[in-house]
Amino acid sequence: MMTCIASRFAIRAREVLTEHRENNKPNPSGPRHPFWRYADYAKPYRWRIALIVLFGILVFVMPMASAALVKVIADNVIPERDMSLLWYVGGGLLLAELIRTVSFQVRGVNMVRLNSDIVFDLRQNLFTHLQRLSLKFHQSRPTGTLLSRLMSDVTEAQRMISGGIINVFIEVFCGILAMAVLLWIDWRMTLVLMAILPLFAWLYRRVNPHIREVSHRVQEQRSVLSGEAVERLSGIVLVQSFAQEKSESSHFATQSEELKLRTVQRGTLNTILKSISQFLTKLGGYSLWVVGAIIAITAGTMTVGDIILFTAVAGHLYRPIQRLSDINIVYQNSMAAIERIFNIFDEVPEVINRPTSREMPPLEGRVEFDDVTFHYSRNEPAALKHVSFVIEPGMRTAVVGESGAGKSTLVSLIPRLYDVSEGAIRIDGRNVRDFPLRKLRRSIGIVLQDTILFSGSVRENLRYGKKDATDEQIIAAADAANAHRFISELPEGYDTVIGERGLTLSGGQRQRLSIARTLLQDPRVLILDEATSSLDSESENLINEALDHVLQGRTSLIIAHRLSTILDADNILVFRRGELIEQGRHEDLIEDGNGYYRHLYEQQFGEQATAMGVR
């Protein structure tokens, strides 16, 4: 009975795996149960785990040895007034306590190291996997939710090893050892003790499912709260501009209240489980004293020392059983986090290297779209429909159209931020899917309208795309982007820390840093996604001057909101509702009196267009 109860936590994992296999017979190649997948992270540290288990057993055994020595004092030293034996027993008690103390310290230090190593490995792998997942995944998940998986869930999951699996080994071994000692002392009192054990089994079976369910709810709500907090704090400018602080605080309080209620519910169930477990433990201990006294009085086969030893060892038997309630709580809470973590690991990147991808030579920059169609999802209409065009090396090509026409979608397909649904994109005559993904993207520079800079120095941000860039190369790129002058005027020049997202800089300064960062990468194909549309005239002029220099000799695609910035483009692609409806030079497109490009031009320039001869 004791073996069955004490090992319940361990064999539960086997039962779960069996259920998983039975439920997934049609798909034998499916992923293993999250418990076993997580256990893989402990394999590199199996010898350290063995050391922790060994010293954990010593921590358990030494108090039992001390109890045996106390029995000697009660049954031999005191009745026989044997002082010499007392000194030996006292020395034994001291030695046992020293061994226990050292074992406790060794176990604790190694446990801390084990926890830190497993957390590092799991978090690093999860972060790496998140970076490999496609944009479609990230755009469908709040950043705060992913941050919760990366930080909170990983921290909660690591308790499975330290507070769960390791303790199971220790408690099961020690429980079996304690049971053997108790049977050796007196089998009748052991039967009394075992009568309590089925109550523990019933208790766990009743409460476990509820704890597991509530733990899932707590983790999910914590993720929601984290996601909304990150979203609102990152948009604090908007919140304050619309004076919505009170409303946002009220909304956050509502979500926090939900998390509080679920946490209290989980804590209540945990407390109920632990308190009833403690009650059963005390009930068993008191029963032993009563039964032991009856046996000593009526049969005379037990001494006071026997009762002391039995109750002490029984306490050590109850401790593993009682600890199983704590281990169970750890298991339920950790499994909720582990399942959420491996749900992320089970997400498969949509854009990956082909097995047949080959090394890419230096690009010349010829870009070809061959009947390209793209859907963001199967249930949505096509964002691009049967698009075909060719950009020769060194050509400056503009992409124009109304909002939602598919311009940004078009340029995101070239570096394979998404993969086409139909058709093909080729660079220098070779399908982009045949290039190694990392090298393809490093050969294509992108300057976005919403400039992204990271907290750190100017120099670190410029080096982001080329870690080995020299100071001379950095200054040359900044100078080409018309950024060197303002950087030199910063308090610490290139070593000035610009803060998160570069908010200490103006929009034009951030954009020039973005251009310099891209230029330092020296791409053959350059994509400008409305790089100047949100800037003032002075900043726009500075950036246009920089771009005139940067674009020389490079194949470039320029998404333009202001048509005045692309009048000298070699070719203009005109999009409407995901279709390429016109292309040509500005003069040729204007001459078409019924063309859509002419319509866009007249919308922007009005009377000025008429004055320029557009009739």
Side-chain angles (χ1 to χ4, degrees):
M1 176 68 74
M2 174 59 208
T3 303
C4 178
I5 300 300
S7 61
R8 175 171 294 277
F9 177 86
I11 65 176
R12 173 58 184 157
R14 187 181 304 168
E15 293 172 357
V16 169
L17 181 59
T18 301
E19 293 171 6
H20 174 77
R21 287 172 175 167
E22 288 297 322
N23 293 333
N24 293 273
K25 282 183 177 179
N27 183 22
S29 61
R32 293 181 299 154
H33 190 274
F35 176 89
W36 297 110
R37 296 169 68 183
Y38 180 73
D40 288 340
Y41 282 86
K43 286 183 179 179
Y45 309 104
R46 52 186 175 274
W47 293 112
R48 190 184 302 167
I49 292 175
L51 184 70
I52 293 171
V53 171
L54 173 62
F55 281 95
I57 291 173
L58 287 176
V59 170
F60 179 89
V61 169
M62 287 302 105
M64 293 177 60
S66 298
L69 293 173
V70 171
K71 167 180 163 53
V72 174
I73 293 176
D75 288 347
N76 301 103
V77 173
I78 295 177
E80 299 173 10
R81 301 179 181 273
D82 190 340
M83 294 299 295
S84 59
L85 180 59
L86 177 61
W87 288 112
Y88 284 110
V89 172
L93 289 170
L94 177 60
L95 179 61
E97 186 58 28
L98 286 174
I99 293 174
R100 191 203 68 81
T101 301
V102 172
S103 300
F104 183 84
Q105 292 179 355
V106 173
R107 177 178 180 268
V109 169
N110 280 277
M111 187 73 80
V112 170
R113 289 180 58 200
L114 177 67
N115 288 341
S116 299
D117 286 337
I118 291 176
V119 165
F120 174 84
D121 294 344
L122 182 58
R123 183 170 287 145
Q124 187 65 29
N125 286 351
L126 182 58
F127 182 75
T128 300
H129 183 71
L130 283 170
Q131 289 184 304
R132 291 178 59 242
L133 291 176
S134 307
L135 279 184
K136 188 181 297 185
F137 169 84
H138 287 281
Q139 290 170 346
S140 64
R141 305 292 199 288
T143 302
T145 299
L146 300 180
L147 183 63
S148 176
R149 305 281 175 97
L150 192 62
M151 303 304 295
S152 176
D153 285 353
V154 169
T155 300
E156 183 69 36
Q158 60 89 17
R159 298 178 61 204
M160 175 64 79
I161 301 293
S162 59
I165 296 174
I166 291 177
N167 284 343
V168 165
F169 285 118
I170 295 173
E171 305 302 349
V172 168
F173 176 86
C174 296
I176 294 173
L177 177 62
M179 177 61 73
V181 173
L182 292 174
L183 287 170
W184 173 73
I185 296 173
D186 191 279
W187 64 270
R188 292 163 297 183
M189 291 183 65
T190 304
L191 290 177
V192 174
L193 186 65
M194 292 178 64
I196 305 294
L197 300 184
L199 297 178
F200 282 97
W202 176 85
L203 177 64
Y204 296 147
R205 194 172 188 85
R206 292 285 296 179
V207 180
N208 273 358
H210 300 290
I211 293 179
R212 179 74 169 276
E213 181 182 356
V214 173
S215 295
H216 269 289
R217 292 177 180 175
V218 168
Q219 294 295 103
E220 288 295 336
Q221 184 62 24
R222 186 177 292 161
S223 175
V224 169
L225 189 65
S226 174
E228 295 199 356
V230 170
E231 187 178 69
R232 295 314 193 269
L233 291 176
S234 62
I236 190 64
V237 173
L238 182 66
V239 172
Q240 293 182 353
S241 298
F242 282 83
Q244 291 298 307
E245 296 92 338
K246 186 175 181 180
S247 173
E248 291 297 341
S249 293
S250 176
H251 178 71
F252 188 80
T254 301
Q255 297 295 334
S256 295
E257 180 71 18
E258 181 67 21
L259 177 60
K260 183 184 74 173
L261 292 175
R262 295 181 182 185
T263 303
V264 168
Q265 187 179 6
R266 183 177 69 176
T268 301
L269 288 173
N270 290 342
T271 301
I272 291 173
L273 182 62
K274 292 179 69 174
S275 61
I276 297 178
S277 177
Q278 290 174 356
F279 171 78
L280 294 176
T281 301
K282 295 295 183 181
L283 178 63
Y286 297 148
S287 300
L288 292 177
W289 276 104
V290 172
V291 174
I294 293 173
I295 294 175
I297 293 171
T298 58
T301 56
M302 292 196 72
T303 64
V304 174
D306 289 333
I307 297 176
I308 292 175
L309 177 60
F310 194 97
T311 53
V313 175
H316 291 296
L317 173 65
Y318 277 127
R319 195 201 76 167
I321 298 174
Q322 190 171 346
R323 284 286 299 275
L324 283 177
S325 65
D326 297 331
I327 295 172
N328 168 70
I329 293 170
V330 169
Y331 175 83
Q332 303 300 337
N333 295 345
S334 296
M335 275 306 301
I338 288 170
E339 288 174 356
R340 285 159 47 85
I341 290 170
F342 283 99
N343 283 341
I344 297 293
F345 276 119
D346 288 337
E347 293 285 345
V348 179
E350 295 185 7
V351 180
I352 59 175
N353 279 324
R354 282 180 170 179
T356 57
S357 63
R358 310 185 306 275
E359 289 299 316
M360 56 187 296
L363 296 182
E364 294 181 10
R366 185 180 191 272
V367 178
E368 177 188 358
F369 274 60
D370 182 5
D371 197 28
V372 169
T373 297
F374 175 74
H375 299 260
Y376 280 101
S377 69
R378 294 180 180 178
N379 299 325
E380 296 181 7
L384 291 176
K385 307 169 188 175
H386 305 289
V387 175
S388 297
F389 61 85
V390 175
I391 304 175
E392 296 298 337
M395 281 184 60
R396 186 179 302 189
T397 300
V399 184
V400 301
E402 61 189 0
S403 296
K407 304 185 298 294
S408 295
T409 301
L410 177 84
V411 296
S412 66
L413 295 176
I414 300 174
R416 293 189 66 200
L417 299 179
Y418 304 94
D419 271 337
V420 300
S421 303
E422 300 174 21
I425 300 174
R426 300 183 182 90
I427 297 181
D428 295 347
R430 182 174 162 188
N431 194 313
V432 291
R433 292 187 175 186
D434 292 330
F435 290 119
L437 187 58
R438 186 169 180 269
K439 292 190 176 181
L440 171 69
R441 290 175 176 174
R442 291 182 67 86
S443 300
I444 299 172
I446 303 178
V447 179
L448 302 172
Q449 176 184 4
D450 183 16
T451 304
I452 298 175
L453 299 174
F454 296 112
S455 57
S457 69
V458 171
R459 191 187 312 275
E460 290 168 341
N461 273 277
L462 293 180
R463 272 198 181 122
Y464 188 75
K466 186 178 174 134
K467 302 296 185 182
D468 59 349
T470 65
D471 289 343
E472 291 75 15
Q473 290 173 323
I474 291 173
I475 293 174
D479 191 44
N482 277 340
H484 177 67
R485 181 176 178 180
F486 90 78
I487 294 174
S488 301
E489 294 173 353
L490 294 174
E492 297 180 45
Y494 283 83
D495 294 317
T496 302
V497 176
I498 59 177
E500 186 178 4
R501 298 184 66 85
L503 293 180
T504 58
L505 304 176
S506 70
Q509 289 173 333
R510 291 197 298 271
Q511 196 63 285
R512 279 179 276 166
L513 285 185
S514 176
I515 294 172
R517 178 177 60 193
T518 302
L519 183 60
L520 193 61
Q521 189 178 334
D522 193 23
R524 291 298 305 154
V525 178
L526 185 60
I527 296 171
L528 305 174
D529 189 352
E530 300 195 66
T532 64
S533 63
S534 61
L535 303 179
D536 58 80
S537 298
E538 181 180 357
S539 296
E540 182 179 4
N541 290 334
L542 286 171
I543 289 176
N544 284 335
E545 289 178 12
L547 291 177
D548 286 338
H549 176 73
V550 169
L551 297 179
Q552 294 297 324
R554 304 176 195 273
T555 302
S556 57
L557 279 83
I558 306 168
I559 296 179
H561 177 70
R562 299 174 183 171
L563 299 185
S564 60
T565 62
I566 49 91
L567 300 182
D568 59 347
D570 298 314
N571 192 29
I572 299 175
L573 306 176
V574 185
F575 278 81
R576 188 178 188 184
R577 298 174 184 172
E579 297 183 75
L580 176 60
I581 58 174
E582 297 177 306
Q583 62 174 310
R585 294 183 63 86
H586 169 73
E587 295 81 5
D588 299 330
L589 294 173
I590 286 295
E591 288 179 3
D592 185 355
N594 298 318
Y596 184 63
Y597 177 82
R598 178 182 173 119
H599 169 70
L600 293 175
Y601 189 81
E602 290 177 342
Q603 273 191 327
Q604 284 197 20
F605 292 96
E607 293 181 1
Q608 183 182 355
T610 302
M612 294 172 64
V614 177
R615 299 279 186 251

